Every structure is written in structure tokens, then in C-alpha cells.
Amino acid sequence: MEQFRVGEMVVAPGMTLLEEGQGSAHLFTVLSGLGIRSTMLENGRRQVINFLFPGDFIGLQAGLAGEMRHSVESTTSMVLCVFNRADLWDLFREQPERAYDLTWIAAVEEHFLGETIASLGQRDATERLAWALLRIHERLSAIGLAERGRVPMPWRQQDLADALGLSLVHTNKTIRRLRETGHALWAGGTLSIDRERLAALALVDPDRPRRRPLI
Amino acid sequence: MEQFRVGEMVVAPGMTLLEEGQGSAHLFTVLSGLGIRSTMLENGRRQVINFLFPGDFIGLQAGLAGEMRHSVESTTSMVLCVFNRADLWDLFREQPERAYDLTWIAAVEEHFLGETIASLGQRDATERLAWALLRIHERLSAIGLAERGRVPMPWRQQDLADALGLSLVHTNKTIRRLRETGHALWAGGTLSIDRERLAALALVDPDRPRRRPLI
DNA sequence: CGTCACCTTGATTAGATTCAATACAAGTGG
DNA sequence: CCACTTGTATTGAATCTAATCAAGGTGACG
């Protein structure tokens, strides 16, 4: 992968890396830090499409040559590995294994978006929150960011609300209930969960691990 | 692509091509006909992830080697081109252009799922229906299935409802309103729309054409 | 002519939004 | 060092959208 790497990029929290509607000559992978990928509707409402974790690939969704249809912003400070979009074709010709991995990543991403669609379409507020917190916790645990069951949770309630299609107020009240019932404790930028019970609430099979490839 | 083609498959309407939870040794492209890709939640509710049109690629989302996490069924009779999943690696090694196209397709798919997420999260029932009907109409028009503005629309209201996260009843009432206001006429398996006004209702920019690649 | 699949419609209820305040902590400038 | 702004979290009350419940209606088909 080395020869396609343009460089490394360090960004401060709260920065916009990619702007909806802009073209971008670069692709990125997240080396560290957490972020958000989102779009705006014409009416100004924001939808968070997914949260970004170390290992995620950014920019492919624009179409392999196209213009961004979503924004990417950093939540914490992030370190990104930068690739040249124009070199992608060379990658496919010269390193089929890497190209294969890339496609794998896109396919897995697509699968996860499908799960998100199922959540937004079929789960109620409590189930959605349970599902999201579980998912985030598992993802962060998988990359080794858990300490005694507690993972960093730097996003705002508003971000969760925008990701799940709920209002901020309702999100807040639902989180409170999850806290009171001991399903999930999210405070001070940190999250810990009662995995079994949260999975039951979220209508998720807790035994099926969600593997993720790395590039 | 010829050398990777295993064969052609013709299926009757209403058949299940791929079952959630089953492994599949094959990948498909839709040559003709329309279908549905969906999942079930643990509580038995169905989510339609997307509708399938000629040109769509099926099976990549399972992960390049994995087990199906969704079902695929035919709505009309369909003709599919069948590929061997095991040959995929050869494709990447021997035909980088084709591999590139494949990745492109996955990326575009992913982009469209992102749009769906935005709809489920941020649009109300009327907007969602408008958006869905517009999208279906444009897609079918793009592949030349429109006749004097009318396209085939073989899905049931229940399918639309499951795709948009709405109840059948509410979907029905909303469609009626769209019909009464002249935004969209869907009857007898055929759909015609007032494109401009429907796009306005759907909060979509009507001038941005949605290109799709073909393999 | 009865059954089945799908569409349609009215009445009622529940879940989520919106509105409106309050609380609290971290900065910032005078 | 304190008043003041700013961003985020919290909570109660009022309202509304969409779900659920419960019947019909229609057309195809054996």
C-alpha cells in the first residue's frame, strides 16, 4: 500500500474534512480518532450516515471518480492516511490483492448500511438507541479501545439523534431510561453497557460477532 | 466477463433466490425483471433494503466470501446472469478493469443506501413516498422501461411500506393523497408521476441526474 | 360462487415531535 | 476575577404524526 500513500493528515476535533458537493482528489483511511459521515437534506435536516472508526475507509462512496455527496467531520482529533484517487486504477492493475481487499471493505460497509436501514425502518426509539450503543461499543472494543468495559463515546446526543432519525429531546429521554434501567451508562464521554440485556432490547443476536476487515 | 459466467438463470415471480442465513456460492447480475432485497429483524418485522432492477449486482454485500444476511426474491419473472463466487479472485488478478467496475458498483450502491438512510431518518411519510416513487420512476426510465412516462410498478403497497418503515395502512392513505393531488398515479401495476412537483415534495433536486454504472 | 390476495377506509391509541425552560460547565473579555 | 456568552444536557407539557385495530371492498381464479 506504501506506494499509493500520499501522506498522513492530522486533524483537530470538530473539523470538516470533506464537504458535501465538493470534489475530492483524495481517499483516506482512518488511522486513529473518531468522526462522522453525514448528509444534509434540502430542508436543512442532518442525517448522520455512520460514525467513523479507525480502520474505516473514506471517500469511495462518491463513486470512484465523483463528487462528494456527504460531509465528513472529525469528532475527536484524527490521524488519516491519504491516498490519491487518481492512483486507484494503478492499484487495481498492479496489486490485485489490495484491490480485492478494497472491494471487500466496500461490500462490508454496504452490509452495515443495510443493517442501519433496518434499524431506522423497523425499530422504535428504545430499540434504535440500544442497537446503536451496542454497535458502537462492540466496534470500539474490537479495535482495543475498551478499558474495563468502558469505551470512549465522544459524540453528542444530537449526533446520535441525527444518526437514528430521532429528535434530540426524545433521544435524551430514551437514554435516561436506558441509564435508569441499567442497560447502558453513557456519561462524561464514556460508555459502558450491559451487553446481554442491551442486545436483547436491541433485537440483536448477541453471539454473532461482527467481523470487519482491515486494509 | 464471459469466462466467469457460470450460466443464466430464469426465475418465476415470487420466488426466493437467496435466503437469509444461507451461504451462497454464486453472485448474480440482473439481466431483466424486478425484485426485492430484504432482511428480517428478530421480532419478525421485514425491512426491504432496496428494490432490484436490471443491471444490479447481487451477493457482494455478504462479504466477499460470507453468508447471506438478507433475502432476495423476484417480484416479476427475472433473468439473472450467474457467476461463481470462487472465481472472483481470478477476476481481480486477470481483469483489473472488470474488478474496478465491480468496486465502482459497490461504491455506488453504498451511496444509494446512504440516501435511503437519509430518507428513513429525516423524511416524513409523504416525503418518503414521494422520494421512493420518484427514485423508482427515474431508475426504470433510465433503463428504458418507460412508455409515455409510465413505468411498470409491480410491487405491492406492503413492499413499499416495508421499504420505507411505514405501516401498510399509512402507506395506503399517503399514496391516496399523492394520487388526489396529482403528484403520482400508481394503479394497475403502472406508475406515472408529475416529476417536478414530486421532486419538490420529496425534497430532491430534480436536476441532478443519478448516474449508474453497468457491468 | 367462494376463496384468496391485495387494496381501501374510519376510529382509536401510542410514540415521537415541538415548544419552552432550566441547568451546568467551559471559555472569554473587560 | 467576575459577568457573560456559548454549547450541551435535562425535563415537563402540549401537539401531532403514524401505528394499530377493525371492517369492507375488489378482482382474479378455481
Side-chain angles (χ1 to χ4, degrees), chain A residues 33-193:
Chain A
L34 301 170
I36 278 183
R37 192 159 69 91
S38 63
T39 30
M40 285 286 194
L41 293 207
E42 313 256 308
N43 59 359
R45 302 186 61 162
R46 181 177 82 139
Q47 175 69 37
V48 170
I49 299 174
N50 58 7
F51 296 106
L52 295 172
F53 301 88
D56 278 340
F57 202 85
I58 306 174
L60 213 54
Q61 307 84 0
L64 295 189
E67 158 192 321
M68 286 293 132
R69 288 292 161 67
H70 53 255
S71 302
V72 173
E73 58 186 277
S74 58
T75 304
T76 67
S77 74
M78 299 177 80
V79 181
L80 304 157
C81 184
V82 185
F83 300 98
N84 215 325
R85 187 185 288 274
D87 293 341
L88 202 60
W89 167 242
D90 293 330
L91 176 73
F92 271 77
R93 213 174 32 202
E94 293 167 27
Q95 308 212 21
E97 335 77 63
R98 300 283 118 200
Y100 189 84
D101 292 344
L102 196 67
T103 305
W104 172 289
I105 286 187
V108 172
E109 270 277 330
E110 188 181 343
H111 169 252
F112 277 85
L113 292 190
E115 258 196 30
T116 301
I117 289 174
S119 284
L120 296 193
Q122 306 303 332
R123 288 187 237 252
D124 69 20
T126 306
E127 292 162 356
R128 272 183 241 184
L129 255 317
W131 170 81
L133 294 178
L134 183 67
R135 218 161 159 298
I136 290 170
H137 192 280
E138 303 223 308
R139 186 74 198 279
L140 286 168
S141 296
I143 54 180
L145 292 183
E147 284 185 23
R148 271 176 292 112
R150 305 164 76 240
V151 298
M153 180 71 192
W155 295 288
R156 299 166 305 164
Q157 293 188 354
Q158 183 70 67
D159 297 325
L160 252 294
D162 289 346
L164 300 176
L166 299 169
S167 70
L168 171 61
V169 172
H170 199 52
T171 300
N172 180 291
K173 289 172 181 171
T174 305
I175 289 172
R176 171 165 63 106
R177 248 173 285 128
L178 290 179
R179 186 163 48 224
E180 286 170 357
T181 54
H183 284 91
L185 181 59
W186 171 20
T190 304
L191 170 70
S192 58
I193 64 173

Side-chain angles (χ1 to χ4, degrees), chain A residues 20 37 39 41-43 45-50 60-67 69-70 85 88-89 92-93 96-111 113-124 127-128 161-166 202-205 208-211, chain B residues 37 39 41-43 45-50 60-67 69-70 85 88-89 92-93 96-111 113-124 127-128 161-166 202-206 208-211:
Chain A
E20 198 168 349
R37 192 159 69 91
T39 30
L41 293 207
E42 313 256 308
N43 59 359
R45 302 186 61 162
R46 181 177 82 139
Q47 175 69 37
V48 170
I49 299 174
N50 58 7
L60 213 54
Q61 307 84 0
L64 295 189
E67 158 192 321
R69 288 292 161 67
H70 53 255
R85 187 185 288 274
L88 202 60
W89 167 242
F92 271 77
R93 213 174 32 202
E97 335 77 63
R98 300 283 118 200
Y100 189 84
D101 292 344
L102 196 67
T103 305
W104 172 289
I105 286 187
V108 172
E109 270 277 330
E110 188 181 343
H111 169 252
L113 292 190
E115 258 196 30
T116 301
I117 289 174
S119 284
L120 296 193
Q122 306 303 332
R123 288 187 237 252
D124 69 20
E127 292 162 356
R128 272 183 241 184
D162 289 346
L164 300 176
L166 299 169
L203 303 174
V204 161
D205 180 354
R208 188 164 63 200
R210 276 141 178 70
R211 288 168 308 139
Chain B
R37 192 159 68 91
T39 31
L41 292 207
E42 312 254 310
N43 59 359
R45 302 185 59 162
R46 181 176 82 139
Q47 175 67 40
V48 170
I49 299 174
N50 57 9
L60 213 53
Q61 308 83 4
L64 296 189
E67 158 191 320
R69 288 292 159 67
H70 53 255
R85 189 185 285 274
L88 201 60
W89 168 242
F92 271 77
R93 212 173 34 202
E97 336 76 65
R98 299 283 119 202
Y100 189 85
D101 291 345
L102 197 65
T103 306
W104 171 288
I105 285 187
V108 171
E109 270 277 332
E110 188 181 342
H111 169 253
L113 293 191
E115 258 196 31
T116 301
I117 289 174
S119 284
L120 297 191
Q122 306 302 331
R123 287 187 239 254
D124 67 20
E127 291 162 357
R128 273 185 239 183
D162 288 346
L164 300 177
L166 299 168
L203 303 174
V204 162
D205 180 355
R208 186 164 64 199
R210 278 140 178 66
R211 288 170 306 140

Side-chain angles (χ1 to χ4, degrees), chain B residues 181-199:
Chain B
T181 54
H183 284 93
L185 181 59
W186 172 19
T190 304
L191 170 70
S192 59
I193 64 174
D194 181 336
R195 192 162 172 285
E196 290 296 319
R197 292 175 56 229
L198 201 59

